[in-house]
């Protein structure tokens, strides 16, 4: 009996030990599985975070032309121009980095504010551009010296004192500054930015103060692009050239684009024609690809031609390879816009095309100045014709996006349009 009792006790002890061992083993296995799952989740989160840091979204918008009617409307609104950009601010702010073209100077003196033909916008217009979400403002154009050296310097001083986070491009206070490439560090990207315009003649603009405005010359472009490549991993060139009012890039624009493509620029954003033109991906003899938007047209204006009221906002996705550190354009498209102003002169706004309505087109004040057809259907037709010009090199998503923008929308009520 004693032996049986001892055997029973040994069996019980063995069972307890085995159960404890099994329980501990399962516990350790569960803990290991949980740790592995947590590590996998962390690795996936890190990969997503790294992918996000290696993805850059750019938005570039066209020219801001502050004509007299816009200035009058702003003056009646305590010189606040936020209303111009309220419909597109969400798109602007969604981008990692956004740029628009001013192409003229700002003034803090309301008595010196000027519309066509000299153009000097109030500094409150610059405040509105900053509030809308733009990160860089282009100033190089033939209009920039209309108010002489003081106009350029006062504009630079305004940006420095009031919005130091903004990059004013194409104008400088010294030769040293003019020889420096503006580089914006965003995520894992260093965006080297250059803004130059065609040669122009203006009283007081001489070789001694030519640093004030960046003017195109092949030697200078080559030197600055070379420096831009060394200091950044993405080179964006803002090219103000071409002939105003033309729907196709002229010979001068094409020659400069070809030259910049050969120089190895990554992205070219054109302006100067004040009319939306096509965009495409080009490649030089070395196999380097350059994305070119020939013109984004006008963003803000009260021009009296249909083409002068239509614009485009370039939307570009850039990627950086974590393995090779190569930076390349992954996707690109254009968001069509319409500059609206009505007969009552109390509604000046830039609308995305997909938010524009037949009612708005009908009340547009352009009907007082032009016999051109201006209906929602005719506007969409113009953008469809533009999309048809886009080269087959464009990615499918680019063409698809343009088609979506030009699709006939569902009917909107008048209240939804206001």
């Amino acid at each position: 009996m004693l032996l049986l009792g001892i055997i029973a006790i040994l069996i019980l002890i063995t069972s307890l030990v085995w159960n404890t061992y099994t329980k501990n083993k399962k516990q350790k296995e569960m803990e290991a599985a949980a740790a592995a799952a947590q590590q996998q989740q962390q690795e996936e989160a890190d990969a997503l975070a790294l992918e996000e840091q290696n993805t850059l979204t750019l938005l570039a918008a066209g020219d801001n032309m502050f004509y007299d009617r816009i200035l009058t409307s702003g003056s009646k609104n305590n010189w606040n121009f936020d209303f111009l950009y309220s419909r597109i601010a969400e798109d602007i702010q969604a981008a990692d980095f956004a740029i628009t073209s001013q192409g003229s100077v700002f003034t803090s003196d309301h008595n010196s504010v000027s519309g066509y033909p000299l153009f000097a916008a109030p500094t409150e217009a610059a405040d509105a551009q900053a509030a809308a979400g733009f990160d860089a403002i282009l100033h190089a154009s033939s209009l920039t010296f209309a108010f002489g050296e003081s106009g350029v310097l006062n504009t630079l001083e305004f940006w420095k004192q009031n919005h130091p986070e903004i990059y004013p491009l194409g104008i400088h206070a010294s030769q040293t500054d003019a020889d420096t490439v503006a580089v914006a560090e965003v995520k894992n990207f260093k965006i080297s930015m250059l803004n130059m315009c065609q040669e122009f003649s203006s009283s007081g603009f001489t070789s001694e103060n030519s640093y004030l405005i960046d003017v195109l010359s092949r030697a200078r472009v080559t030197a600055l692009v070379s420096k831009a490549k060394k200091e950044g991993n993405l080179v964006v060139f803002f090219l103000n050239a071409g002939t105003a009012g033309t729907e196709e890039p002229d010979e001068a624009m094409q020659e400069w684009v070809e030259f910049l493509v050969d120089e190895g620029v990554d992205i070219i954003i054109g302006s100067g024609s004040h009319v939306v033109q096509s965009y495409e991906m080009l490649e030089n003899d070395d196999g380097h690809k350059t994305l070119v938007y020939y013109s984004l047209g006008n963003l803000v204006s009260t021009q009296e031609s249909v083409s002068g009221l239509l614009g485009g906002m370039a939307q570009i996705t850039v990627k950086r390879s974590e393995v090779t550190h190569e930076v390349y354009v992954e996707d690109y498209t254009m968001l069509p816009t319409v500059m609206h102003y009505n007969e009552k002169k109390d509604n000046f706004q830039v609308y995305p095309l997909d938010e524009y309505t037949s009612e708005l087109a009908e009340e547009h004040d352009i009907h007082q100045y032009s016999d051109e057809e201006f209906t929602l259907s005719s506007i969409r037709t113009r953008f469809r014709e533009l999309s048809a010009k886009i080269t087959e090199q464009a990615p499918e998503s680019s063409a698809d996006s343009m088609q979506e923008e030009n699709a006939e929308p569902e009917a909107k009520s008048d209240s939804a349009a206001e």
Side-chain angles (χ1 to χ4, degrees), residues 212-229:
L212 291 167
I213 304 171
D214 281 325
V215 177
L216 289 162
S217 77
R218 295 205 168 200
R220 183 157 177 75
V221 168
T222 296
L224 287 175
V225 168
S226 177
K227 182 177 290 189
K229 289 179 180 179

Side-chain angles (χ1 to χ4, degrees), residues 20-34:
T20 300
Y21 169 76
T22 304
K23 182 178 181 181
N24 289 340
K25 182 180 180 183
K26 288 182 177 180
Q27 181 67 27
K28 289 180 179 179
E29 289 175 349
M30 290 174 62
E31 290 175 354

Side-chain angles (χ1 to χ4, degrees), residues 118-253:
L118 298 180
F119 291 106
T123 51
E124 289 87 351
D127 291 329
Q129 291 169 0
F134 289 112
D135 302 290
I137 309 296
L138 311 177
H139 282 286
S141 86
S142 59
L143 297 172
T144 306
F145 204 72
F147 290 83
E149 184 171 340
S150 62
V152 174
L153 296 178
N154 290 340
T155 297
L156 285 167
E157 187 63 19
F158 170 80
W159 285 122
K160 180 180 178 181
Q161 295 299 326
N162 295 275
H163 299 285
E165 76 283 2
I166 299 289
Y167 292 84
L169 302 177
I171 55 175
H172 310 280
S174 67
Q175 185 63 55
T176 299
D177 184 47
D179 292 336
T180 302
V181 175
V183 179
E185 296 191 28
V186 185
K187 296 183 175 179
N188 286 338
F189 298 85
K190 292 184 178 181
I191 312 168
S192 292
M193 300 174 290
L194 298 168
N195 174 212
M196 292 186 170
C197 65
Q198 293 181 117
E199 290 186 1
F200 63 92
S201 59
S202 181
S203 176
F205 187 67
T206 67
S207 59
E208 295 180 357
N209 63 5
S210 61
Y211 58 80
L212 291 167
I213 304 171
D214 281 325
V215 177
L216 289 162
S217 77
R218 295 205 168 200
R220 183 157 177 75
V221 168
T222 296
L224 287 175
V225 168
S226 177
K227 182 177 290 189
K229 289 179 180 179
K230 294 176 182 177
E231 298 183 7
N233 56 13
L234 178 70
V235 180
V236 184
F237 198 104
F238 300 96
L239 173 64
N240 184 275
T243 303
T246 56
E247 297 187 357
E248 299 286 346
D250 66 8
E251 184 177 352
M253 172 63 83

